[in-house]
């Protein structure tokens, strides 16, 4: 600290810079080194020379913490800085460039006020802070330049001549300024182009977290370059000092946050996630704090963030170097770029802390760092294209093989299609023969059965028949009736399979249901002492469906319930109309159905373990017919059953009202 900040009279007898015999037309000289300072005083050069007790300090540097005549100086206050520069009398057109001071100043040369930045004051109310790089054309001289700076600071955490000043010929200084501005705009343009290119690449081509974070880093770098260094943004539009400081700090914090994030996504296998998370959230938190806190408070966060950034940068560098030593070519390129960036960052910290007097080189360091990433991305894209070309060639070979296989399979399919067409013709012929056979068989079987029924009726009316003979005749009658029922079911099932649609007509639903129950089912139930109950409330209305199909559904369900119920049990038929939908429920207290047999209930020719309780016949077609008829009517059928306690069949049929 004593080396760069605190010097007394013993360090140097006079603060004189001798530039005589120096070529100011070709060389720009820094007016750094020993300056005389008077704290809490705004004096002229003559007054500074006449002070009895002189104090000298090194410039650039801050007065904060200086041992000034036995007392440590605070951050806030005002002071005069004085230095004499000797030049050749022949060089008349001289220029002096002043970088930003802390935090406002006014320049005097040979007693003439040349201007400054902000407004110098002796308290916070009269002081107006400002950051400006100023250039001043020096007045005529006789070889001596008495340079005096009045500086005040009541708004920042440190004050003083933070940056050194330079002097040279007017022409040489102008060329130097043009070069700096041109270099800044070149870097801004190059970095902005890289950011836009990779943003577009991320949007339209390659979705990559590294690419989008790279774009953010580019844009933040451009924004920070406009804020610091040559202060291009402030010089072009003029920005309030308080806003300018906030923007400068926020750009720094966010740049740290997203640079770490970018490095992690660039090398997720090399860099640990926590190494970027700490500076990332620190940068975001610092930015939010800076937005809402006053500058006089938020600027004290800068040293903390500089420490966090330095530690994080070292860790990033360590991980990248480890990757480079493992012969990762991309890590080697990134290491070179990051070393340049890290050196530029250290340079900025040292300049910012007034330890060295170089220009800000952070933007240049970021440019080379980002350019190294561009090389890495170009390598990855090139590798991707090479792989795509290889895959393209492989796909071309595969496509050729597939085309040959497709042609071969097509020939096979054509042959199989021809065979299927031939088989279909044969099946159609067989189906036609089956239809004729069914018609013949049904006719030839029904005729003798009907004759047998007539003969049996005659036998039963013949006198002199014994009881044993009458029992045989009854058995013959039942056997003929069962055979005739089976043939009728087969014919109905055959006709249903050929049916396309139901024959819809209108009828009174209550009368229709009562007729279904009373025509045969009531008598059959009575013979087995089974109670058949009906609940038809609300059904005295017109319904639209196929009545023959609906009758067959009801007949099959009720007859099944009677067949599989013991004498003395009950059967219910309940009908209910709601929302143009008829719901029929046939419930019994019969044998019930085993749970494992429910899945086979509506299939053809299914003989379940339960047998009819009164020697009735069961073809296994009744419920299959119910299922098909219900489907033709656009309805559904379901069943719930408890083995040994009974079953409940539910049929839902829509009302096919004619469209008005």
């Amino acid at each position: 600290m004593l080396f760069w900040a605190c010097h007394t009279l013993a360090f140097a007898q006079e603060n004189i810079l001798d530039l005589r015999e120096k070529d100011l037309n070709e060389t720009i000289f820094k007016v750094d080194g020993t300056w005389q300072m008077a704290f809490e005083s705004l004096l002229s050069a003559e007054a500074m020379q006449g002070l009895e007790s002189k104090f000298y300090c090194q410039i650039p540097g801050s007065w904060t913490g200086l041992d000034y005549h036995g007392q440590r100086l605070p951050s806030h206050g005002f002071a005069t800085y004085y230095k004499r520069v000797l030049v050749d009398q022949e060089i008349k057109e001289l220029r002096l460039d002043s970088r930003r001071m802390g935090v406002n100043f006014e320049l005097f040369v040979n007693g003439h006020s040349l201007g400054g930045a902000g407004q110098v004051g002796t308290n916070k109310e009269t002081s107006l802070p400002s950051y400006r790089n100023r250039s001043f054309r020096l007045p005529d001289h006789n070889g001596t330049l008495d340079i005096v700076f009045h500086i005040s600071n009541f708004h920042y955490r440190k004050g003083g001549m933070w940056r050194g000043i330079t002097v040279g010929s007017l022409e040489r200084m102008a060329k130097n300024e043009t070069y700096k501005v041109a270099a800044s705009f070149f870097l801004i343009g190059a970095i902005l182009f890289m950011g836009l290119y990779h943003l577009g690449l991320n949007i339209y081509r390659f979705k990559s977290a590294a690419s989008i974070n790279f774009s953010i880093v580019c844009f933040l770098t451009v924004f920070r370059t406009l804020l610091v260094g040559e202060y291009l943004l402030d010089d072009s539009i003029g920005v309030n000092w308080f806003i300018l400081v906030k923007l400068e700090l926020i750009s720094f914090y966010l740049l740290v946050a997203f640079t770490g994030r970018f490095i992690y996504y660039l090398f997720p296998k090399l860099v640990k996630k926590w190494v970027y998370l700490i500076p990332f959230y620190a940068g975001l938190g610092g930015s939010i704090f800076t937005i809402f806190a006053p500058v006089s408070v938020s600027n004290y966060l800068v040293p903390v963030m500089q420490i966090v950034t330095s530690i994080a940068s070292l860790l990033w560098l360590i991980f990248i170097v480890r990757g480079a030593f493992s012969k990762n070519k991309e890590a080697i390129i990134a290491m070179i770029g990051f070393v340049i960036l890290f050196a530029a960052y250290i340079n900025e910290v040292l300049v910012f802390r007034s330890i060295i007097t170089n220009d800000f080189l952070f933007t240049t360091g970021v440019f080379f760092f980002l350019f190294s990433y561009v090389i890495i991305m170009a390598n990855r894209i090139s590798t991707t294209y090479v792989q795509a070309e290889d895959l393209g060639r492989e796909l071309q070979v595969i496509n050729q093989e597939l085309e040959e296989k497709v042609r071969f399979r097509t020939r096979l399919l054509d042959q199989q299609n021809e065979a299927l067409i031939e088989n279909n013709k044969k099946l159609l012929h067989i189906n036609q023969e089956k239809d004729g056979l069914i018609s013949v068989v049904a006719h030839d079987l029904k005729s003798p059965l009907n004759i047998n029924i007539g003969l049996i009726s005659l036998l039963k009316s013949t006198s002199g028949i014994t009881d044993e003979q009458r029992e045989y005749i009854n058995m013959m009658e039942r056997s003929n009736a069962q055979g005739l029922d089976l043939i009728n079911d087969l014919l109905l099932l055959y006709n249903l399979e050929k049916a396309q649609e139901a024959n819809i007509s209108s009828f009174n639903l209550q009368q229709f249901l009562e007729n279904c129950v009373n025509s045969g089912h009531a008598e059959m139930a009575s013979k087995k002492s089974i109670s058949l109950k009906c609940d038809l409330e609300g059904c005295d209305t017109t319904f639209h469906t196929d009545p023959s199909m609906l009758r067959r559904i009801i007949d099959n369900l009720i007859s099944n319930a009677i067949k599989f119920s013991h004498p003395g049990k009950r059967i219910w038929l309940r009908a209910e109309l709601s929302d143009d939908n008829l719901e029929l429920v046939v419930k019994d207290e019969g044998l019930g159905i085993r749970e494992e047999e429910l899945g086979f209930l509506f299939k053809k020719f299914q003989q379940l373990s339960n047998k009819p309780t009164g020697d009735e016949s069961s073809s296994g077609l009744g419920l299959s017919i119910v299922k098909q008829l219900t489907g033709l009517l656009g309805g559904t059928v379901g069943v719930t059953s408890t083995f040994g306690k009974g079953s409940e069949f539910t049929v839902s049929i829509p009302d096919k009202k004619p469209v008005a």
Side-chain angles (χ1 to χ4, degrees), residues 233-276:
L233 184 65
D234 187 37
D235 287 343
S236 58
I237 63 175
V239 181
N240 180 274
W241 181 84
F242 297 95
I243 297 176
L244 183 67
V245 173
K246 284 180 178 287
L247 293 177
E248 179 183 337
L249 297 180
I250 291 171
S251 66
F252 167 57
Y253 300 156
L254 292 180
L255 195 56
V256 172
F258 283 96
T259 299
R261 188 179 175 89
F262 156 64
I263 293 172
Y264 168 75
Y265 283 113
L266 181 62
F267 297 110
K269 295 182 179 179
L270 295 179
V271 181
K272 300 297 183 182
K273 193 171 185 178
W274 62 267
V275 177
Y276 102 82

Side-chain angles (χ1 to χ4, degrees), residues 465-565:
I465 298 175
T466 65
D467 292 339
E468 184 179 0
Q469 291 172 334
R470 187 173 297 281
E471 181 63 28
Y472 290 148
I473 291 171
N474 288 334
M475 291 173 62
M476 291 172 60
E477 184 179 34
R478 289 195 298 272
S479 179
N480 273 272
Q482 291 173 1
L484 190 61
D485 288 341
L486 177 60
I487 291 171
N488 287 332
D489 284 344
L490 285 171
L491 285 173
L492 177 60
L493 193 60
Y494 169 69
N495 291 327
L496 286 175
E497 290 177 347
K498 294 169 56 178
Q500 297 297 320
E501 59 183 16
N503 184 17
I504 306 299
S505 62
S506 60
F507 52 88
N508 184 276
L509 182 60
Q510 183 168 330
Q511 294 177 3
F512 174 81
L513 295 175
E514 289 175 349
N515 185 42
C516 287
V517 173
N518 294 329
S519 59
H521 295 300
E523 182 180 353
M524 188 186 303
S526 178
K527 287 181 180 180
K528 290 186 71 173
S529 300
I530 292 174
S531 172
L532 179 58
K533 298 183 178 182
C534 297
D535 181 5
L536 307 178
E537 185 177 353
C539 295
D540 189 11
T541 183
T542 301
F543 194 72
H544 304 79
T545 191
D546 188 322
S548 62
M549 291 185 179
L550 182 59
R551 177 182 291 274
R552 189 72 184 206
I553 292 170
I554 297 171
D555 287 347
N556 282 6
L557 291 177
I558 294 178
S559 63
N560 257 19
I562 294 173
K563 286 179 185 180
F564 293 96
S565 295

Side-chain angles (χ1 to χ4, degrees), residues 187 191 194 214 217-218 221-222 225 255 259 337 340-342 344-345 361-372:
L187 292 175
I191 295 173
M194 288 191 289
F214 172 80
V217 171
C218 288
T221 302
V222 169
T225 304
L255 195 56
T259 299
I340 296 174
L341 173 65
F342 187 70
Y345 168 72
L361 300 176
F362 186 69
T363 304
T364 305
V366 172
F367 171 78
F368 283 104
F369 169 69
L370 296 177
F371 188 73
S372 67

Side-chain angles (χ1 to χ4, degrees), residues 252 302-313 345:
F252 167 57
V302 174
V304 178
M305 284 301 301
Q306 288 176 343
I307 294 173
V308 171
T309 304
S310 300
I311 296 174
S313 299
Y345 168 72

Side-chain angles (χ1 to χ4, degrees), residues 283-463:
L284 292 183
S287 300
I288 295 172
F289 176 75
T290 302
I291 291 173
F292 295 102
V295 173
S296 59
V297 176
S298 62
N299 74 90
Y300 285 95
L301 185 63
V302 174
V304 178
M305 284 301 301
Q306 288 176 343
I307 294 173
V308 171
T309 304
S310 300
I311 296 174
S313 299
L314 282 173
L315 291 174
W316 297 336
L317 183 58
I318 289 171
F319 283 110
I320 293 174
V321 169
R322 286 174 58 186
F325 278 116
S326 64
K327 298 183 180 180
N328 185 322
K329 293 181 180 179
E330 292 184 350
I332 294 173
I333 297 173
M335 181 185 70
I336 296 172
F338 194 80
V339 167
I340 296 174
L341 173 65
F342 187 70
Y345 168 72
I346 296 300
N347 175 82
E348 178 161 288
V349 173
L350 296 178
V351 172
F352 190 81
R353 299 181 68 86
S354 304
I355 297 176
I356 62 176
T357 60
N358 292 341
D359 290 330
F360 286 100
L361 300 176
F362 186 69
T363 304
T364 305
V366 172
F367 171 78
F368 283 104
F369 169 69
L370 296 177
F371 188 73
S372 67
Y373 168 74
V374 172
I375 296 175
I376 294 172
M377 278 300 297
N379 176 67
R380 291 185 180 181
I381 294 172
S382 175
T383 303
T384 302
Y385 280 134
V386 170
Q387 292 174 348
E389 290 176 354
D390 293 340
L391 287 174
R393 285 190 291 269
E394 293 176 4
L395 285 174
Q396 188 175 5
V397 173
I398 293 172
N399 285 335
Q400 291 174 351
E401 294 176 352
L402 284 175
E403 289 176 0
E404 184 61 33
K405 290 181 180 179
V406 168
R407 284 193 290 268
F408 175 73
R409 295 291 175 83
T410 302
R411 289 194 296 270
L412 288 179
L413 287 174
D414 290 339
Q415 295 173 2
Q416 292 173 356
N417 285 337
E418 292 175 359
L420 285 173
I421 292 172
E422 186 64 28
N423 291 335
N424 189 52
K425 291 179 180 178
K426 292 179 181 179
L427 289 173
L428 184 60
H429 179 68
I430 293 171
N431 189 56
Q432 291 172 349
E433 291 182 347
K434 181 203 72 173
D435 290 346
L437 179 63
I438 289 176
S439 179
V440 170
V441 169
H443 180 268
D444 290 349
L445 286 176
K446 287 182 71 175
S447 295
L449 288 175
N450 285 327
I451 293 171
N452 287 342
I453 291 173
L455 292 174
I456 291 170
S457 179
L458 288 174
L459 284 173
K460 289 177 69 175
S461 62
T462 303
S463 59

Side-chain angles (χ1 to χ4, degrees), residues 589-615:
E589 296 177 337
L591 301 176
I593 306 165
R594 297 180 186 275
E595 184 176 355
E596 61 270 18
E597 294 179 332
L598 288 174
F600 308 101
L601 195 60
F602 294 103
K603 294 183 179 180
K604 301 174 186 176
F605 305 106
Q606 292 296 320
Q607 298 288 342
L608 305 183
S609 58
N610 290 337
K611 302 300 179 185
T613 59
D615 293 330

Side-chain angles (χ1 to χ4, degrees), residues 142-163:
N142 57 2
T144 301
L145 300 174
D146 285 329
I147 302 173
V148 174
F149 277 95
H150 289 175
I151 298 175
S152 65
N153 170 53
F154 293 95
H155 300 85
Y156 203 66
R157 61 185 175 85
K158 62 177 183 177
M161 289 184 69
W162 299 344
R163 307 287 179 264

Side-chain angles (χ1 to χ4, degrees), residues 46-239:
E46 292 79 6
M48 292 292 288
Q49 295 169 2
L51 290 176
E52 294 183 2
S53 177
K54 295 182 174 63
F55 179 84
Y56 296 92
C57 63
Q58 286 292 107
I59 298 300
S62 170
W63 68 50
T64 303
L66 278 180
D67 185 358
Y68 182 78
H69 297 306
Q71 66 174 19
R72 297 186 65 82
L73 294 182
S75 298
H76 296 166
F78 57 95
T80 301
Y81 288 86
Y82 167 65
K83 191 175 187 73
R84 172 169 287 183
V85 179
L86 303 178
V87 298
D88 290 330
Q89 296 185 20
E90 292 78 12
I91 303 176
K92 295 299 183 184
E93 293 187 340
L94 292 177
R95 171 173 157 177
L96 183 146
D97 280 0
S98 171
R99 315 302 286 176
R100 72 177 188 180
M101 301 290 182
V103 287
N104 43 50
F105 72 93
E106 184 176 1
L107 171 64
F108 298 86
V109 177
N110 294 337
H112 299 283
S113 174
L114 302 185
Q119 179 176 312
V120 178
T122 57
N123 52 53
K124 190 173 184 178
E125 288 71 24
T126 59
S127 178
L128 181 64
S130 177
Y131 282 164
R132 287 290 176 85
N133 294 332
R134 296 296 307 274
S135 294
F136 304 95
R137 182 169 183 172
L138 298 181
D140 293 338
H141 59 88
N142 57 2
T144 301
L145 300 174
D146 285 329
I147 302 173
V148 174
F149 277 95
H150 289 175
I151 298 175
S152 65
N153 170 53
F154 293 95
H155 300 85
Y156 203 66
R157 61 185 175 85
K158 62 177 183 177
M161 289 184 69
W162 299 344
R163 307 287 179 264
I165 62 174
T166 56
V167 65
S169 68
L170 190 63
E171 181 180 359
R172 184 67 185 86
M173 296 285 278
K175 288 181 180 180
N176 184 64
E177 182 180 5
T178 302
Y179 166 77
K180 287 184 178 181
V181 173
S184 296
F185 277 113
F186 168 77
L187 292 175
I188 288 172
I191 295 173
L192 181 62
F193 174 78
M194 288 191 289
L196 291 174
Y197 173 77
H198 283 86
L199 179 63
L201 199 65
N202 186 78
I203 294 174
Y204 296 107
R205 190 72 177 178
F206 300 101
K207 302 295 182 182
S208 168
S211 184
I212 190 64
N213 281 281
F214 172 80
S215 300
I216 295 174
V217 171
C218 288
F219 299 146
L220 288 172
T221 302
V222 169
F223 184 60
R224 181 165 176 78
T225 304
L226 292 171
L227 290 172
V228 299
E230 300 304 313
Y231 292 91
L232 300 174
L233 184 65
D234 187 37
D235 287 343
S236 58
I237 63 175
V239 181

